[in-house]
Amino acid sequence: MGERMTGDTTRSDIEPTVEVNLDVHVAHSARMYDFYLGGTTNFAPDREAAAHALAVFPWARSAARANRAFMHRSTRALAEAGIRQFLDIGTGIPTSPNLHEIAQRIAPQSRVVYADNDPIVLTHAQHLLHSAPEGRTAYVHADVREPESVLSAARELLDFSRPIALSLNAILHFVPDTAATGAHRLVEAFKAELPPGSALVVSHATQDFAPEDIARVEQVYANAGTPVQARTREEFARLFSGWELLDPGVAATPRWRPDETSAAEPVADAEAACYGAVALRR
Ligand SMILES: C[S@@+](CC[C@H](N)C(=O)[O-])C[C@H]1O[C@@H](n2cnc3c(N)ncnc32)[C@H](O)[C@@H]1O
């Protein structure tokens, strides 16, 4: 854990140095998500578990796309607002455009640190490292439940005296509320280290729009060995406590500042089944 790879425009310094055990015999959330998005980085157990999820929640693909589109729009909004440093935890299998591509289109000098704990993401991380020459990207193989490990690796590339956008998209529902690693406690540990002007971006599964469907999805993931905990609007909003929510506040992911691409493929709240929000530390 905490292994770091950095990249600019070369590939020479990005070889993985951690032992990789892909464990292709059990389903993994990153590979199931890749399957929903139409990617090819998934194996039979992932596709089988994803098929079970699609059987109880046929909108899983549009939910994944809506979540991804929320990441695009929120990153763009923050880059346009002047943020130049990003820490993206629970990055997922690279799917272009990745976060640094969005940010660097607006500000090529942007620096982006990615982190995920799934070895499959590590093996594909070179795609995250092709930074614009003016900027930098890095990938850290680390667990969000160990904030110090993520933060100490991130400090090597990011300046923690200047604003940083922390994104936790579609990851915290994989962190159930237990005494040791509750999602709220974790988020507070990260927020405490971010200076004024920083942003917190979160998307998260919710049962609010389709409680029975989402209870079935939770069961499918539990059966596949990956517990999921959807959270209510109030539980979600509490992640941002003390920070100032940007307009439109807490919204179903497709309703967070929709643009022309959202209009082309409308997704209902019950199909997205996720909240998204962005807040600033003043
Ligand atoms: C559904 S994908 C979301 C990918 C991307 N953030 C997005 O929104 O498009 C969830 C990602 O969180 C990662 N993840 C789950 N639990 C994690 C943990 N404890 N630490 C780090 N990453 C984790 C998974 O490996 C997966 O890549």
Side-chain angles (χ1 to χ4, degrees):
M1 288 294 168
E3 283 295 328
R4 189 173 67 91
M5 298 192 291
T6 59
D8 37 39
T9 50
T10 67
R11 297 178 68 128
S12 55
D13 58 345
I14 59 175
E15 294 303 318
T17 52
V18 290
E19 194 179 321
V20 173
N21 174 9
L22 288 187
D23 196 1
V24 297
H25 304 293
V26 295
H28 277 223
S29 64
R31 302 188 310 226
M32 290 171 69
Y33 184 70
D34 176 74
F35 177 77
Y36 301 142
L37 287 175
T40 54
T41 310
N42 48 74
F43 300 92
D46 310 311
R47 294 190 284 275
E48 200 177 309
H52 287 306
L54 282 162
V56 298
F57 188 67
W59 303 280
R61 287 194 178 91
S62 16
R65 283 198 298 271
N67 179 67
R68 199 75 197 161
F70 166 77
M71 183 278 276
H72 298 169
R73 299 194 304 277
S74 53
T75 302
R76 208 177 299 130
L78 292 173
E80 284 169 354
I83 294 211
R84 299 289 176 258
Q85 305 192 95
F86 297 81
L87 173 56
D88 179 49
I89 310 177
T91 298
I93 292 163
T95 304
S96 194
N98 295 293
L99 193 149
H100 74 281
E101 297 169 273
I102 306 267
Q104 291 184 344
R105 268 178 211 160
I106 292 159
Q109 71 274 35
S110 299
R111 292 182 163 222
V112 180
V113 174
Y114 292 106
D116 202 290
N117 74 340
D118 193 323
I120 193 93
V121 182
L122 175 64
T123 63
H124 291 268
Q126 72 272 14
H127 296 293
L128 302 169
L129 300 174
H130 297 302
S131 171
E134 302 90 334
R136 291 286 299 280
T137 62
Y139 178 79
V140 185
H141 183 69
D143 195 306
V144 72
R145 292 167 296 186
E146 295 166 8
E148 247 333 299
S149 150
V150 178
L151 288 164
S152 67
R155 280 180 210 286
E156 293 185 29
L157 193 68
L158 305 182
D159 175 357
F160 275 67
S161 69
R162 302 175 66 83
I164 294 172
L166 167 64
S167 45
L168 294 162
N169 289 325
I171 176 176
L172 292 175
H173 42 242
F174 297 115
V175 182
D177 286 332
T178 63
T181 62
H184 292 87
R185 181 186 293 212
L186 279 182
V187 171
E188 288 308 320
F190 284 104
K191 281 161 74 183
E193 298 301 315
L194 299 177
S198 292
L200 174 64
V201 182
V202 188
S203 66
H204 195 297
T206 183
Q207 62 276 63
D208 286 357
F209 307 119
E212 289 171 10
D213 287 353
I214 298 309
R216 290 192 202 101
V217 172
E218 286 178 333
Q219 195 55 56
V220 167
Y221 274 80
N223 293 346
T226 305
V228 164
Q229 181 178 344
R231 292 189 169 90
T232 63
R233 184 186 184 95
E234 186 278 323
E235 289 167 329
F236 177 78
R238 208 150 35 82
L239 296 167
F240 300 89
S241 63
W243 289 31
E244 185 181 314
L245 282 167
L246 298 186
D247 279 347
V250 172
T253 42
R255 291 176 190 275
W256 197 91
R257 301 193 184 180
D259 59 16
E260 62 289 349
T261 54
S262 334
E265 192 188 358
V267 178
D269 295 1
E271 296 172 6
C274 272
Y275 284 124
V278 179
L280 290 187
R281 176 173 180 186
R282 291 298 184 187

